[in-house]
Amino acid sequence: MSTHIKSQADILAKLGIEKLNAMQIEAKEAIATESEVILLSPTGTGKTLAFLLPIIEALDPSCEEIQSVIIVPSRELAIQIEQVMREMGTGFKVNAVYGGRMGSKDRMEIKTRPAVLIGTPGRVSDHLRREAFDTKHITTLVLDEFDKSLEIGFEGEMKDILTLLPNVDKKILTSATQGVRIPRFVGLQNPVTIDYLDQRSSRLQLKKVISPEKDKLETLLELIAHIGEGNGIIFCNFKDSIQRVSDFLGEHNISHGAFYGGLEQTDRERALIKFRNGTHQLLLATDLAARGIDVPEIDFIIHYHLPFRGEEFTHRNGRTARMNSNGTAYVLLYEKEEVPEFIGDIPEEKLEKTDLPEAPQWSTLFISGGRKDKISKGDIAGLFIKQGNLDKDALGVIELKNDCAFVSVKASEVKELLPKVNNTKLKKKKVRVSVV
C-alpha cells in the first residue's frame, strides 16, 4: 500500500484549501472524540471534509478489510465523496457502490478491500446480505443526508445495514434540514449535536418575477437574458417539464444541461461535468439536484415551478449564496398564481429587455483512459499542450475518473486540436479523444 498521508496540512494543500471553517473544526474534533455525532449544516458548507478527516486519521493502515462505511441517498453523492477522498491523496483505498450498475462491477472493484466503502442504502444492504465482505473491522458508520435516504424510502435497507454491522462503535449522522427526527432504529444513546443551520451567512437575495402568461417559457427567456452571464440552476418539478423547457431553450440556442431521476447515470454524470467545467452555464433540474451534488459556485437559481414544501425551497436556495458568497433566487410566478406561505412577501424584479447570453466558450472532450491506466491530470495536460500545441489558457478543468477522463477546452480550439491528440498514446494506452 502506498504511503499514507496523515498530515491535515498535506491533505488541505492537495485539495487547494487554505484552512478549515468553524463548522469543520468543531465537527472534526467531536467526531474524533465522541461515539455519536449529529452534524447539521447547510448544503455547500463542507460537511464531507468535516467527517472524512477524522475518519481517515482513525484508519489502521495494517488492516486489509473495510473499516468505515458511508451511506448516502444518491449515486451522485457516492461518486462525489469517493472523488474527494481520492483527491485527498491519503493512500487509503476508497470505493463507491450504488444502484444502476452491475453488481459484478462492485464486486470486482472491492475484491481488494477499500478502507472506506461509500454507497447507497439498497446496494450496501444487498452486499451485506450476500456477505460480500468481512464486517468485523467496520467500526465507523456515517449516514450522510440521512433524512433524504429515509424520505426516498430506504428505511428498511438502513435498518438492515445497522443490524448487519454489529461492531460499529462510532455513528455520524449529517443533514442540512432543520428539525429532523432521528429514527429510533439508529440506536443513538447520547449524541453530540453540532448545529450550524442558523449561522448561515444570509447573502441570499430572494426576488419574484411575474409572468403575464400561465405558460412561463417566454418570461423565463427574458429572465435568462436579464441575468446575463453566470452559473445557474433552473428547478422544475417534473421531468416532462424539464424536457419541455429544454426543447424551448434549444430552439433559442441556449446551451444547457439536464439532471433528473429518469436519466441514465452516465447522462446525469456528464451533465454535471459540463456544468462544473463551464461548457454549460445553465442546468435544468428536479429537486434531485437540491442537495448532495458537487457543482461550482452558483450565481443564481430560478424556481420555474414552486416546490411543494418549504423544506425543498430551502434546499434549492441552498445551492446559491453558499458560505460567504452572494447569490439570488428568482421565483417565477404566473400573475394569478397562489403563493405558498413558506415563500413570504418578496420584492419583484422588473426585467429589462436585453440580448440573450452568448454561447459558452468551453467545450468538453472525452478521453478513453483514466486512473486505472496510470494516467494522471499532468499526463493529459502534457498531451494537449505539447502534442496538441494548445495554449495553457485554452485548457480548462480536467476531471479524472477510474476508466476515462473529461477535459474542458476553449470551443474555438477543438477542431484543430482533435486530430493531433486522438488515437495517440497516453502512458502505455492508446486513447480516443472525442467531443462529449
Side-chain angles (χ1 to χ4, degrees), residues 251-428:
E251 285 163 20
H252 291 84
N253 298 316
I254 294 177
S255 169
H256 64 279
F259 183 87
Y260 55 88
L263 273 180
E264 288 290 327
Q265 177 61 22
T266 48
D267 293 334
R268 272 159 60 169
E269 209 174 316
R270 287 180 182 202
L272 292 182
I273 287 164
K274 289 166 100 168
F275 188 54
R276 281 196 288 263
N277 70 24
T279 299
H280 291 148
Q281 287 188 297
L282 287 176
L283 187 69
L284 298 177
T286 56
D287 283 322
L288 184 66
R291 46 180 162 168
I293 60 164
D294 182 20
V295 288
E297 221 33 88
I298 289 172
D299 305 293
F300 64 91
I301 65 146
I302 298 172
H303 298 273
Y304 183 77
H305 290 137
L306 288 178
F308 300 115
R309 298 176 312 153
E311 208 176 277
E312 290 309 331
F313 187 64
T314 305
H315 286 309
R316 288 180 180 187
N317 292 340
R319 298 309 323 182
T320 187
R322 291 160 76 168
M323 293 306 281
N324 296 314
S325 61
N326 298 315
T328 308
Y330 297 95
V331 179
L332 193 51
L333 296 166
Y334 169 44
E335 59 186 9
K336 293 178 184 167
E337 193 170 344
E338 254 184 61
V339 182
E341 265 179 41
F342 62 75
I343 304 252
D345 191 24
I346 53 176
E348 184 180 343
E349 179 91 336
K350 295 287 185 191
L351 302 184
E352 295 165 13
K353 292 279 182 196
T354 181
D355 294 331
L356 288 166
E358 288 178 17
Q361 299 180 354
W362 298 93
S363 198
T364 301
L365 299 182
F366 169 84
I367 298 177
S368 66
R371 205 179 280 107
K372 69 173 174 53
D373 306 299
K374 306 284 188 284
I375 292 168
S376 70
K377 289 184 182 181
D379 296 329
I380 293 168
L383 173 72
F384 279 39
I385 291 163
K386 290 175 193 156
Q387 200 165 317
N389 302 327
L390 190 69
D391 194 66
K392 273 184 185 168
D393 296 341
L395 182 66
V397 179
I398 299 171
E399 285 203 32
L400 192 60
K401 305 288 181 189
N402 200 35
D403 53 1
C404 63
F406 296 89
V407 189
S408 66
V409 170
K410 282 275 171 75
S412 55
E413 306 289 330
V414 170
K415 200 175 172 185
E416 213 171 295
L417 173 74
L418 273 180
K420 296 175 186 171
V421 294
N422 188 24
N423 286 323
T424 53
K425 272 201 170 178
L426 252 182
K427 286 284 166 70
K428 291 180 180 175

Side-chain angles (χ1 to χ4, degrees), residues 39 44 51 73 117 132 202 207 211 213 218 223 238 260 269 314 348 356 403 412 433 435:
L39 174 56
F51 64 69
L117 182 71
S202 58
K207 296 179 176 180
S211 166
E213 305 292 330
E218 287 297 339
L223 176 56
F238 311 104
Y260 55 88
E269 209 174 316
T314 305
E348 184 180 343
L356 288 166
D403 53 1
S412 55
V433 183
V435 179

Side-chain angles (χ1 to χ4, degrees), residues 5-18:
I5 294 173
K6 283 288 177 149
S7 148
Q8 182 178 297
D10 283 344
I11 289 172
L12 295 186
K14 269 190 171 288
L15 296 173
I17 294 169
E18 272 183 49

Side-chain angles (χ1 to χ4, degrees), residues 1 4 59 79 89 126 183 194 227 248 252 270 304 316 319 344 358 394-395 416 436:
M1 187 173 272
H4 294 88
L59 292 173
I79 292 163
D126 183 54
I194 292 160
I227 295 167
F248 180 79
H252 291 84
R270 287 180 182 202
Y304 183 77
R316 288 180 180 187
R319 298 309 323 182
E358 288 178 17
L395 182 66
E416 213 171 295
V436 175

